[in-house]
Amino acid sequence: MQFNLPDEVKKILSDFRKNNHEIYIVGGAVRDLLMEKTVTDWDFTTNATPDEILKVIPDGFYDNKFGTVGVKFENFSKPFEITTYRTEFGYSDNRRPDKIAWGKTLKEDLARRDFTVNALALRAVLSIKYKVLGTELVDLYNGLEDLKNKVLRAVGDPSERFNEDALRMLRAVRIAGELKFEIEQNTLSAIKNNATLINKIAKERIKDELFKILKGDNSYDGFIHLKETGLMDQILPELTKCFGVEQKSPNRHHIYDVGTHLLMSLKHCQSSDPITRFATLLHDVGKPQTYKKLDSEVITFYNHEIVSTKIARNIADRLRLSNAEKDKLIKLIRYHQFTVSEHQTDSAVRRFIRNVGLENVEDMLELRRADRLGSGARESSWRLDDFKKRLIEVQKQPFSIKDLKINGKDVMDTLNIPSGPKVGEVLEKLFKEVEEKTIENDRDILLSKLNIFKYE
Ligand code: ATP
Ligand code: MG
């Protein structure tokens, strides 16, 4: 097979060889090369120690305890990572490496990698002018065969490997989803049997993998896998509880139970923002707690958005989301029941925008679109289309007192009052009138209105 290697990669391979070091392209990069996918993440493994690596690439940076030297290139968003052969990728207490030991051979290094398709290494022989003269694929675990059959299989004994580092179970789900591979039977059973070990992993690492699953094109399959393996019950038990909660009522459009509806909504969500996708996944997570079946057979979930918000807040804290991420997640869930009724006033529409945050309105609408499609409804309704037009219309009017054509200083000067709460009250009063369109947002008109206040 001919490999199309970028010049930057060829130069690294060649420079290491010139210095008599072994060097291989390894991991996801080899997997993606073989699958003829664009490689975004170049990883290398070498017998050179970090100090020796830095001698070959002086502009590399070495800032972690795993012996990885990174090097940035203009044409690549992620730095290339060059790592000394390791004998330990694992984490003996299922979560953190006791010590990092350098390996002497490629064989030792590959034995510690997670999946057979990730344990392939590629060596290239280059001419002085960087022409690829030949390549050798090192495949000690039948990775190539698994790649062809689209199978994700642990290297060695799966149960042992997951006991060393429980995050590998989540990586299995994520990578299988990304590649659209099946998880091999023994590997899958080992995940089911060891799912509880995931609780020993640092929440930040879990969040990183979970967000990668969320962001992927195939996130629906990822979450199905999480559910089937029992990992969901460990990481997001609140979501597991939604499965089997019926919501079909006479004359209502819901065709799925709550859990399936949430996964279907995620499937339809086209946002690339993981928080919007997470909010879409969790928006009805409070429904099990608010479920009521009336005598008429109608099922209600009164105030479920409030309960969903509370649960989402706990999840956000547990998974160590940043404050900004949590804030957005909560807003999208809290207001997902927004009305698109044509009877609501302009100020109600504007209140909606203020509540959700102008910067989140697009994503809120995307959540609604995904929610509708995920319930088996049509993508849009004329009401939703009209509502979108109104969202734009109402933004042409001033939005808050900051948009008024007069400010606090004008109020103080005209009314001859010192700064204090009174100034805000006056601005608020004027803003209400502008918002209700009883007066225009025009500087002269507002100033003359102020003059009237003076004598009131
Ligand atoms: P992607 O870059 O898309 O996340 P990748 O396979 O390159 O996929 P990385 O996290 O970049 O994954 O890791 C690079 C390689 O390091 C993997 O292909 C695998 O060989 C090895 N690896 C990473 N994490 C682990 C782990 N927890 N246990 C064992 N090997 C691992
Ligand atoms: Mg990688």
Side-chain angles (χ1 to χ4, degrees), residues 107 110-112 116 119 139-144 146 153 155-156:
K107 197 171 162 204
L110 296 182
R112 305 306 304 162
T116 62
D139 178 13
L140 305 178
Y141 300 97
N142 277 329
L144 193 57
D146 284 340
R153 182 195 312 267
V155 169

Side-chain angles (χ1 to χ4, degrees), residues 142 178 304 310 319 339 349 365 375:
N142 277 329
E178 273 174 3
H304 77 267
K310 207 172 139 221
L319 291 177
T339 173
V349 177
L365 292 172
S375 329

Side-chain angles (χ1 to χ4, degrees), residues 114 154-164 168 186-187 190 194:
D114 47 9
V155 169
D157 180 78
S159 209
E160 251 171 52
R161 306 312 310 282
F162 298 147
N163 272 277
E164 288 163 4
R168 288 175 187 151
N186 289 329
T187 306
N194 292 292

Side-chain angles (χ1 to χ4, degrees), residues 26-29 31-32 40-43 78 81 86 88-91 109-110 112-115 117-120 161 164-168 171 174-175 178 205 209 212:
V26 75
R31 187 189 69 208
D32 293 345
T40 51
D41 196 14
W42 289 93
D43 293 319
K78 285 197 198 164
E81 295 197 328
R86 284 189 242 178
E88 192 51 90
F89 267 94
Y91 303 82
D109 182 278
L110 296 182
R112 305 306 304 162
R113 291 184 182 262
D114 47 9
F115 305 107
V117 295
N118 280 351
L120 292 159
R161 306 312 310 282
E164 288 163 4
D165 178 7
L167 191 75
R168 288 175 187 151
R171 283 178 58 87
R174 191 254 300 174
I175 295 171
E178 273 174 3
R205 293 180 77 205
E209 280 301 327
K212 282 185 186 172

Side-chain angles (χ1 to χ4, degrees), residues 361-429:
V361 166
E362 259 325 283
D363 291 327
M364 185 80 263
L365 292 172
E366 179 55 21
L367 192 157
R368 168 61 57 88
R369 201 186 62 84
D371 184 6
R372 284 180 62 87
L373 286 172
S375 329
R378 277 180 304 113
E379 181 157 347
S380 199
S381 65
W382 62 266
R383 279 205 178 86
L384 185 56
D385 291 339
D386 280 0
F387 181 69
K388 284 182 191 162
K389 285 183 199 135
R390 277 189 78 187
L391 283 173
I392 296 165
E393 273 311 305
V394 299
Q395 287 179 54
K396 289 180 183 159
Q397 299 161 36
F399 228 81
S400 71
I401 54 174
K402 284 197 215 92
D403 302 320
L404 283 179
K405 291 281 162 35
I406 57 164
N407 58 28
K409 189 167 179 311
D410 297 319
V411 176
M412 290 187 282
D413 290 352
T414 316
L415 298 184
N416 210 0
I417 54 168
S419 72
K422 175 89 182 144
V423 179
E425 278 167 32
V426 171
L427 284 172
E428 205 59 64
K429 198 166 158 191

